[in-house]
Amino acid sequence: MEGNSYLPQLARVVDIHEEVPGERAIKTFRLEFIDGDGFSHKCGQCAMLSIFGRGESMISIASSPLVHGYKQFSIMRAGRVTSAFHELAVGALVGIRGPFGNSFPVNDWHGKHLVFIGGGCGLAPIWPVIQTAVTKREDFGDITVFYGGRSPRDIMYRSELEKLRGAAEVYLSVDSPEDGWEEFCGFVPANLMEKEPSPEDAIAITCGPPAMIKFVIKNLHALGFQDEQIYTTVENKMKCGIGKCGRCNLGKDYVCTKGPVYSWADLKELPQEY
Ligand SMILES: Cc1cc2nc3c(=O)[nH]c(=O)nc-3n(C[C@H](O)[C@H](O)[C@H](O)COP(=O)(O)OP(=O)(O)OC[C@H]3O[C@@H](n4cnc5c(N)ncnc54)[C@H](O)[C@@H]3O)c2cc1C
Ligand code: FES
């Protein structure tokens, strides 16, 4: 990033969409920079979003780098800062600094089949890759998206996921059965095993709760995926975002600068402190 890395730019909230209700509510915020385009980003990068007097939080940029003029963020209500975001109305001013972190090596995946596996709020960090792959459809092989939530109400990006069908195979799941749900009932890793995506010329990209990731990795291995074919993104707690405070370390790595995107081949060598 250029200039003073601690200085947020001003952005205006131009749209708010309620994705998921309840205790673990998720809202998607569309932000427009007050002065010009702000900054460009790559798939998998994050930004520090701030509300004056409440603090700042690291949030994945959930819009595709191919989209200009605004950036989108899906924020789960967790505590002080994220709850303050949930209280905002359209028109509010917030701070934004970034972009932070490395990115998914999307250009290296041209010609490959892409298998996305997301759970809960973990769809947001991989959504820019999905959007980029669908926009540049001819650059990739098959695109398959597995995504699950606790219940149908916990499925985020519901209408956008429906729009993907045709360009991508979309397999949704909920943990426990509910009346009217016609797709898979059970955990995301079980849905993955049932559909058995082939590892040949494929890359798997996964993000979700740590318990889900553990079993997704186990099942990808069972399907024949090698560690080098599996990518994920890590959400260690962060403060500065620029490798200065030591808050986000994973063994010798500061996740804010070395990550958050890792291949499983690299991540499995680090302490499992995420
Ligand atoms: C690289 C990265 C990407 C992220 N992307 C997103 C995203 O796209 N959407 C989103 O909603 N959240 C994302 N997070 C998590 C988000 O940063 C935290 O939920 C947020 O900072 C909590 O701030 P708070 O002030 O609301 O909560 P606090 O008042 O600070 O804490 C409330 C609770 O949340 C827990 N918590 C705080 N930070 C984290 C964290 N980093 N991971 C897990 N639990 C935490 C605390 O332990 C506490 O239990 C990301 C985090 C990182 C590091
Ligand atoms: S957040 Fe400060 S070193 Fe990573």
Side-chain angles (χ1 to χ4, degrees), residues 143-212:
I143 301 174
T144 312
V145 179
F146 291 88
Y147 174 63
R150 291 179 179 189
S151 73
R153 286 177 306 283
D154 296 305
I155 301 284
M156 64 188 295
Y157 300 166
R158 187 65 193 268
S159 62
E160 289 92 336
L161 283 163
E162 293 304 332
K163 283 184 208 146
L164 285 184
R165 294 186 200 272
E169 294 287 334
V170 179
Y171 297 115
L172 302 181
S173 59
V174 294
D175 297 352
S176 36
E178 276 198 22
D179 283 352
W181 180 256
E182 290 175 353
E183 298 209 39
F184 189 80
C185 288
F187 295 122
V188 173
N191 199 12
L192 179 69
M193 276 321 257
E194 195 192 78
K195 308 303 183 302
E196 292 187 317
S198 166
E200 198 165 329
D201 280 332
I203 297 289
I205 304 110
T206 183
C207 186
M212 183 202 93

Side-chain angles (χ1 to χ4, degrees), residues 237-248 254 256:
K237 289 183 188 169
M238 293 184 186
K239 199 73 185 169
C240 69
I242 53 173
K244 302 282 185 205
C245 72
R247 181 77 164 260
C248 66
Y254 289 148
C256 65

Side-chain angles (χ1 to χ4, degrees), residues 62-76:
S63 45
S64 164
L66 301 174
V67 171
H68 300 286
Y70 68 85
K71 299 213 186 289
Q72 206 154 285
F73 300 86
S74 294
I75 303 180
M76 180 184 282

Side-chain angles (χ1 to χ4, degrees), residues 126-155:
I126 61 177
W127 192 249
V129 193
I130 297 174
Q131 288 298 301
T132 299
V134 166
T135 305
K136 297 188 156 192
R137 189 67 195 81
E138 64 286 355
D139 288 351
F140 301 94
D142 297 339
I143 301 174
T144 312
V145 179
F146 291 88
Y147 174 63
R150 291 179 179 189
S151 73
R153 286 177 306 283
D154 296 305
I155 301 284

